[in-house]
Amino acid sequence: MSTSLSPLLAPMLSSAAMRAICDDATYLQHMLDFEAALARAEAAIGIVPAKAADTIAKACTADQFDLGALAEAATRSGNLAIPLVKALTANVAKADAEAARYVHWGATSQDVIDSASMLGLRAAIDALLADIGRAISGFARLARQHRDTPAVARTWLQHALPMPFGLKLAEYAAALHRSRLRLQRLRDEGLALQFGGAAGTLAALGDNGWLVAEKLAQELKLPLPDAPWHTHRDRIAEIASVLAIAAGSCGKIARDVSLMMQTDVAEAFEPSGEGRGGSSTMPHKRNPIAAATALAAATMAPNLAATIFAAQVQDHERSAGPWHAEWPTLPMLLLVTSGALAAIVDIAEGLQVDVARMRVNLDATGGLIMAEAVAMALAERVGKSEAHHLVETASKKAVAEKNDLREVLANDPKVTAHLSVERIAKLFEPMAYQGVSQALIDRLLASLDHK
């Protein structure tokens, strides 16, 4: 459960909180937490002497172990749990040789590793939920602030119709909230203790196997599954899918922001600061730094999730290979997802909106953005097909003559026969043609309260 990112790149692509959670020493401690909890659980039902359980628990602190030595030993044993259990047993024996007999009693390596992963995932989800909550609040605040700010809606990267900028922002908040709901559900239902012994039957514990499992789940505060799940990795795959979706939603927002920051658009910007977004050669540059981080994560996350999906295909009761592929992949996915969310928090809490520039861009096409509004009004008189033809012809003429569409329409007798000049003028007010946008903003903001 390494950071899987170099010290130089990790701060750019992940949050500090997630780096701490995915740190090797933290993961090692989670493995030791499992061993301590196992001893206590078995002591509670009389399998392990209480004194031995106490001695084992006292030895279960990560700073007593050599990470490098464990890593080197793992290359020969095939996983980290085997050398860890051997080292833990030796440490316990120094204090109490009798207690050392009960280290790792009835468990298998995968029980330790998978349960430690679940403990790490619980902490990771909590960190993600904290950041996603901040991002949602930031975009919701901006949505309320800009619900009456007219902006260009773009389809296929072209000007399409006017829209309230607040609707775009409310959509960001709602998309992130859907990821929040998925993460909360995983936190409550998707995590599970792994405890099955050598082949998933708990045979080494005889009739006490399930009693130990129940006590162990209570000790670790992990949900108790119906049975061990060593080679059924759907839980891990679901977690990966939720992380990839969250990263993708962040990437969508980041894509929009990076496009709005273009010099030619210049409608909204990431927060600025000393040394932020500059160029090594061009003093005037203001690059989209946070957006770039989120976009990098959105590019990486689907491929990392794909590795987790591929690792679902495992053989029989314990698998060699696919399980191992999860070890570096899942923490990497957590890290880049955390980086995406941290970047989006930065944007949500500091987005700088140029309302005046949005209006300039609305007017940039000489009124063409209001063509549909005119066509629909005209359609009420002459039918949709004829109205479309009249406005399309007028639009082409406006472009050819570099004239304003409103003026071309006002001078077209085929149009003014049905729409007065005053009526045409009103049709060119952007926020008069927003449909049910305000109701949609209300619905989206209200959805943020759904649990």
Side-chain angles (χ1 to χ4, degrees), residues 114-115 117-123 125-126 129 180-194 221-229 232-243 308 326 330:
D114 281 352
S115 291
S117 293
M118 288 289 155
L119 294 174
L121 282 166
R122 182 169 64 195
I125 291 172
D126 286 342
L129 285 171
R180 176 166 62 182
L181 292 177
R182 295 184 190 103
L183 286 167
Q184 288 173 336
R185 182 179 54 78
L186 284 178
R187 176 68 165 77
D188 296 338
E189 303 172 10
L191 306 182
L193 173 73
Q194 177 71 283
K221 296 182 174 60
L222 284 173
L224 180 65
D226 293 328
W229 45 277
H232 291 278
R233 312 304 287 180
D234 51 290
R235 288 181 176 86
I236 304 297
E238 183 179 20
I239 290 165
S241 69
V242 169
L243 295 173
I308 300 295
E326 293 176 357
L330 188 57

Side-chain angles (χ1 to χ4, degrees), residues 43 100 103 115 130 167 205 207 213 232 268 284 328 338 346 392 395 413 432 447:
V103 172
S115 291
L167 177 57
L205 294 169
D207 294 338
H232 291 278
H284 67 285
S338 78
D346 189 32
E392 182 180 37
S395 297
S447 75

Side-chain angles (χ1 to χ4, degrees), residues 83-144:
L84 176 62
V85 169
K86 189 176 295 185
L88 175 60
T89 302
N91 285 357
V92 172
K94 293 174 185 177
D96 184 342
E98 179 66 17
R101 295 174 50 204
Y102 296 101
V103 172
H104 195 64
W105 190 270
T108 193
S109 300
Q110 189 163 356
D111 294 337
V112 185
I113 291 172
D114 281 352
S115 291
S117 293
M118 288 289 155
L119 294 174
L121 282 166
R122 182 169 64 195
I125 291 172
D126 286 342
L128 294 175
L129 285 171
D131 274 349
I132 206 168
R134 289 176 60 190
I136 291 166
S137 295
F139 284 126
R141 175 185 56 80
L142 287 168
R144 294 183 182 97

Side-chain angles (χ1 to χ4, degrees), residues 52-346:
D54 289 341
T55 304
I56 292 169
K58 288 176 182 176
C60 288
T61 55
D63 57 8
Q64 298 183 55
F65 296 85
D66 184 334
L67 284 170
L70 290 174
E72 183 61 31
T75 64
R76 297 185 295 275
S77 63
N79 69 60
L80 184 61
I82 294 173
L84 176 62
V85 169
K86 189 176 295 185
L88 175 60
T89 302
N91 285 357
V92 172
K94 293 174 185 177
D96 184 342
E98 179 66 17
R101 295 174 50 204
Y102 296 101
V103 172
H104 195 64
W105 190 270
T108 193
S109 300
Q110 189 163 356
D111 294 337
V112 185
I113 291 172
D114 281 352
S115 291
S117 293
M118 288 289 155
L119 294 174
L121 282 166
R122 182 169 64 195
I125 291 172
D126 286 342
L128 294 175
L129 285 171
D131 274 349
I132 206 168
R134 289 176 60 190
I136 291 166
S137 295
F139 284 126
R141 175 185 56 80
L142 287 168
R144 294 183 182 97
Q145 181 181 340
H146 291 286
R147 67 180 305 149
D148 294 316
T149 299
V152 174
R154 296 175 172 90
T155 61
W156 292 40
L157 293 176
Q158 307 297 308
H159 286 209
L161 294 173
M163 69 178 293
F165 189 53
L167 177 57
K168 198 180 196 79
L169 296 163
E171 288 170 345
Y172 295 163
L176 291 171
H177 177 62
R178 292 192 292 274
S179 276
R180 176 166 62 182
L181 292 177
R182 295 184 190 103
L183 286 167
Q184 288 173 336
R185 182 179 54 78
L186 284 178
R187 176 68 165 77
D188 296 338
E189 303 172 10
L191 306 182
L193 173 73
Q194 177 71 283
F195 185 57
T201 64
L202 291 170
L205 294 169
D207 294 338
N208 290 315
W210 200 245
L211 289 175
V212 173
E214 290 174 339
K215 292 291 185 182
L216 181 55
Q218 292 170 11
E219 286 280 345
L220 295 174
K221 296 182 174 60
L222 284 173
L224 180 65
D226 293 328
W229 45 277
H230 289 140
T231 51
H232 291 278
R233 312 304 287 180
D234 51 290
R235 288 181 176 86
I236 304 297
E238 183 179 20
I239 290 165
S241 69
V242 169
L243 295 173
I245 290 169
S249 291
C250 291
K252 185 276 182 286
I253 296 168
R255 178 72 75 197
D256 283 358
V257 171
S258 65
L259 291 172
M260 287 188 287
M261 283 184 67
Q262 290 182 109
T263 305
D264 312 89
V265 180
E267 292 178 347
F269 300 87
E270 294 179 5
S272 60
E274 183 64 30
R276 174 170 177 155
S279 164
S280 61
T281 59
M282 295 171 283
H284 67 285
K285 290 294 291 296
R286 184 176 179 180
N287 293 322
I289 303 306
T293 294
L295 286 166
T299 301
M300 298 168 69
N303 299 294
L304 293 167
T307 298
I308 300 295
F309 296 156
Q312 285 186 270
V313 184
Q314 301 199 5
D315 42 287
H316 296 306
E317 281 62 56
R318 297 280 301 286
S319 183
W323 178 47
H324 299 62
E326 293 176 357
W327 301 344
T329 307
L330 188 57
M332 175 74 89
L333 181 52
L334 287 167
L335 286 163
V336 298
T337 303
S338 78
L341 277 172
I344 293 303
V345 168
D346 189 32

